[in-house]
Amino acid sequence: MSVWAAILAGGSGTRFWPLSVPDRPKQLLPLAGEQPLLVQTVRRLDGLVPPERIVILTGALLIDRVAALLPEVPRAQVFAEPRAASTAPALAWAAHWISQHDPGAQLLSLHADWAVGDDRAFRSAARTALGVAEEYDVLVTVGVKPTRNDPALGYILPGKPLGTARTVRRFVEKPRPTRAALLRQRGALWNTGLFAWGVARFLGEAGAYARELKAGWPALAAGDVSGFFAAVRPTAVDVAVLERTKRLAVVTGGFRWDDIGSWDALLRIRRTDARGNVVVGNVTVGDDVRRSVIWSESEHVAVTGIEDMVVVRANGHTLVMPTGRADHLKDLVERV
């Protein structure tokens, strides 16, 4: 089996402002450890996909930074998306490019902004998904068992067994907490966004079901990537293909996974001190600080007497907000 990987590394990471800025968004930041998230993502593929079979899809502003971070990935395989159009156009482009170089390839699709607790278990689930995709000629998504009733994530209800996988009965996107609790009781999984498929099968299913991409196919076939992105309608691959195809399976992964969507997520994925705080950088905290994220890239920050707060000093700005308010940050950044 010839396995490639497409890493989705676009996006501006607004919810990690002020640390995340347009020319250094969250995927280039060491949010889950000592290395940037994108570097961790590539390292996670060690022994599964060699660097010469990795493509990275990112924004034009980030090409040089990404190439410098990952010199082992061929520079020609760091793709600059002509415009941000979500995941369906990006993955169609990647699959088309790979199909021209390796027509029989299997493809793993993954995002550059995840926290994964066990890289070995991650690779095991990816191998299982690739095997199912090849054996049954289906598109495969990897799910994990939820650990909380999170209304910000997508859920999958598995169906009938299909070898080591199961068919997919239904997707449920961002349910209310009460419904998320019910879905967990019924055995639903979080949709991690780790996908596996043959490039030929994916392009066939996208051509059949992704009506948002229809106007762009002639341009892509002609090698006109800019024309392809100009013609398509922005849409997620989950909506454009996975929710419509009849050839879909889900594999259950045994790894801890978190979509690092906001500052609050660091309280789940990073080691905390005795009072439940995540403290990074030039920071002094009092003994009365609880369950807070305190981060400073340069200047000294001292905090005392706070609970359930986010305090960040970076790039000449200071953010102070309660945890649980990530939805308000985008509007604030636009005002700034």
Side-chain angles (χ1 to χ4, degrees):
M1 186 189 302
S2 178
V3 180
W4 288 69
I7 299 175
L8 296 161
S12 58
T14 303
R15 290 191 177 191
F16 281 93
W17 183 88
L19 187 63
S20 175
V21 291
D23 64 348
R24 191 174 174 239
K26 70 173 180 176
Q27 58 270 32
L28 304 187
L29 298 173
L31 294 174
E34 297 302 315
Q35 295 180 319
L37 293 173
L38 177 56
V39 174
Q40 289 182 327
T41 302
V42 172
R43 301 288 183 268
R44 194 169 293 131
L45 295 171
D46 284 352
L48 182 62
V49 183
E52 62 269 19
R53 291 207 296 266
I54 292 174
V55 296
I56 299 174
L57 298 114
T58 190
L61 191 63
L62 305 179
I63 286 288
D64 291 339
R65 284 183 176 270
V66 169
L69 272 178
L70 297 164
E72 65 269 35
V73 176
R75 176 67 180 247
Q77 291 167 209
V78 180
F79 296 167
E81 298 173 60
R83 68 165 175 143
S86 195
T87 56
L91 289 176
W93 178 22
H96 179 265
W97 187 91
I98 292 167
S99 72
Q100 293 182 313
H101 293 77
D102 190 354
Q106 297 288 111
L107 177 62
L108 277 178
S109 167
L110 58 162
H111 291 251
D113 58 355
W114 295 337
V116 173
D118 185 337
D119 286 353
R120 182 176 296 180
F122 178 92
R123 289 189 290 270
S124 176
R127 287 190 183 97
T128 299
L130 287 163
V132 170
E134 184 178 50
E135 181 176 357
Y136 296 97
D137 194 21
V138 293
L139 312 182
V140 181
T141 180
V142 176
V144 294
K145 293 181 179 179
T147 57
R148 60 188 184 276
N149 304 328
D150 196 322
L153 299 176
Y155 292 71
I156 298 171
L157 275 170
K160 297 178 181 179
L162 183 69
T164 54
R166 296 174 73 179
T167 60
V168 173
R169 287 173 54 197
R170 188 165 74 253
F171 286 93
V172 181
E173 188 67 20
K174 298 182 179 179
R176 294 179 181 272
T178 51
R179 191 179 185 197
L182 180 61
L183 288 167
R184 288 180 66 190
Q185 292 173 11
R186 296 176 63 188
L189 304 169
W190 277 337
N191 183 13
T192 64
L194 173 60
F195 305 133
W197 44 59
V199 291
R201 170 54 61 192
F202 174 74
L203 289 170
E205 297 301 289
Y209 294 104
R211 50 185 175 268
E212 297 88 349
L213 307 184
K214 185 177 180 179
W217 288 123
L220 186 62
D224 180 7
V225 176
S226 294
F228 171 69
F229 273 82
V232 301
R233 301 203 308 269
T235 186
V237 71
D238 309 62
V239 174
V241 183
L242 302 188
E243 293 182 8
R244 297 169 183 169
T245 180
K246 305 297 189 291
R247 308 181 71 93
L248 182 65
V250 59
V251 164
T252 301
F255 53 92
R256 288 185 293 111
W257 170 90
D258 206 300
D259 179 20
I260 310 176
S262 68
W263 284 110
D264 295 12
L266 302 194
L267 294 168
R268 298 190 300 266
I269 66 173
R270 291 188 73 108
R271 182 173 298 175
T272 59
D273 65 18
R275 293 169 294 279
N277 303 304
V278 169
V279 179
V280 179
N282 189 11
V283 173
T284 303
V285 298
D287 292 340
D288 52 359
V289 176
R290 302 277 191 278
R291 301 177 304 277
S292 295
V293 176
I294 318 296
W295 188 305
S296 178
E297 272 211 312
S298 53
E299 297 93 343
H300 179 245
V301 171
V303 295
T304 189
I306 65 171
E307 297 182 354
D308 304 308
M309 295 291 289
V310 175
V311 180
V312 182
R313 174 67 181 174
N315 296 307
H317 298 278
T318 303
L319 170 69
V320 181
M321 72 175 183
T323 56
R325 298 294 292 274
D327 289 343
H328 298 259
L329 188 53
K330 183 177 180 180
D331 290 341
L332 178 63
V333 173
E334 288 176 354
R335 292 178 64 183
V336 172

